[in-house]
Amino acid sequence: MAPAMRRDGIAMDTLTDSLLDELRAVVARVDGQAVNEACAALAGAGRIAVYGCGREALQMKGFAMRLFHLGLPVSVVGDMTAPALGQGDVLFASSGPGETGTVLSLMRTAREAGAGVLLITAQPASSAARLADRLILVPAQTMADDRGEGRRSAFPMGSLFEGAMFVLFEMMVLKLKQKLGVDDEAMRARHTNLE
């Protein structure tokens, strides 16, 4: 059977394989020890606040929902119910390019309040990486480096980073589920009924 074709002439099977291969290669290069340390920090936090900008924010909010389903005390920065952070708490921020002004400001505020700062980024030498206590490096192209001859990814506008975030966060949920001894039914019981 011939592969399904898109209007632009690209075979869907070829495109799917290419994109999944890119995601697989990026996620495979993430440091497993850094992920384990991030999971331990989240599991042991008094309170967790998450933040990201743009499409990264969508991934962070999805991860926050799963942390809530796991029974962890999580909020999203900007929500009216987000508490103040202090000693023993964790700000988990995302900045693929590592120079996002809002993220840098929030990281400084959290540090000044005594909270730990966990960062997920693609740029290990960035300002945000230098401010973080813990770092998850996702070696994916972002909007910071997706133009001209430096462009390597088939994903548009740096979205390889966000796709890798989703896969990585699902892995972290599975690790946290095991670490916390939470089963599927306990997670499901915390899912909203207001849908």
Side-chain angles (χ1 to χ4, degrees):
M1 175 180 279
M5 298 294 282
R6 293 181 8 168
R7 279 188 232 167
D8 59 10
I10 300 173
M12 288 297 288
D13 291 349
T14 302
L15 186 59
T16 300
D17 289 345
S18 174
L19 296 177
L20 290 175
D21 287 347
E22 277 194 63
L23 277 171
R24 185 177 295 111
V26 166
V27 174
R29 291 174 48 211
V30 174
D31 179 4
Q33 184 59 34
V35 171
N36 290 338
E37 290 174 8
C39 288
L42 294 171
R47 287 177 291 216
I48 303 162
V50 304
Y51 185 79
C53 296
R55 288 166 44 100
E56 292 176 36
L58 300 175
Q59 297 302 330
M60 295 303 287
K61 288 177 181 180
F63 186 55
M65 183 178 77
R66 287 291 185 244
L67 294 178
F68 175 79
H69 292 157
L70 286 164
L72 293 172
V74 63
S75 62
V76 176
V77 174
D79 285 352
M80 291 170 53
T81 56
L85 294 186
Q87 199 72 31
D89 300 331
V90 172
L91 170 66
F92 184 16
S94 173
S95 179
E99 301 296 337
T100 316
T102 309
V103 172
L104 293 171
S105 179
L106 290 169
M107 291 174 76
R108 288 184 191 103
T109 299
R111 287 179 64 92
E112 289 168 9
V117 176
L118 170 61
L119 175 72
I120 184 166
T121 186
Q123 303 295 332
S126 65
S127 300
R130 288 190 296 274
L131 278 173
D133 298 309
R134 288 185 176 81
L135 182 71
I136 300 174
L137 177 63
V138 177
Q141 194 158 42
T142 69
M143 279 188 68
D145 56 5
D146 75 337
R147 292 184 180 164
E149 293 184 17
R151 183 179 174 132
R152 301 172 310 278
S153 176
F155 282 85
M157 299 178 66
S159 62
L160 175 58
F161 181 74
E162 293 108 40
M165 285 174 70
F166 174 77
V167 175
L168 181 62
F169 287 166
E170 292 300 293
M171 292 167 55
M172 290 174 70
V173 167
L174 294 172
K175 286 176 175 285
L176 283 163
K177 190 176 161 196
Q178 182 176 23
K179 183 176 190 64
L180 297 168
V182 177
D183 64 22
D184 289 340
E185 288 310 308
M187 290 182 72
R188 191 172 294 279
R190 293 187 189 100
H191 193 280
T192 186
N193 61 358
L194 302 175
E195 288 185 324

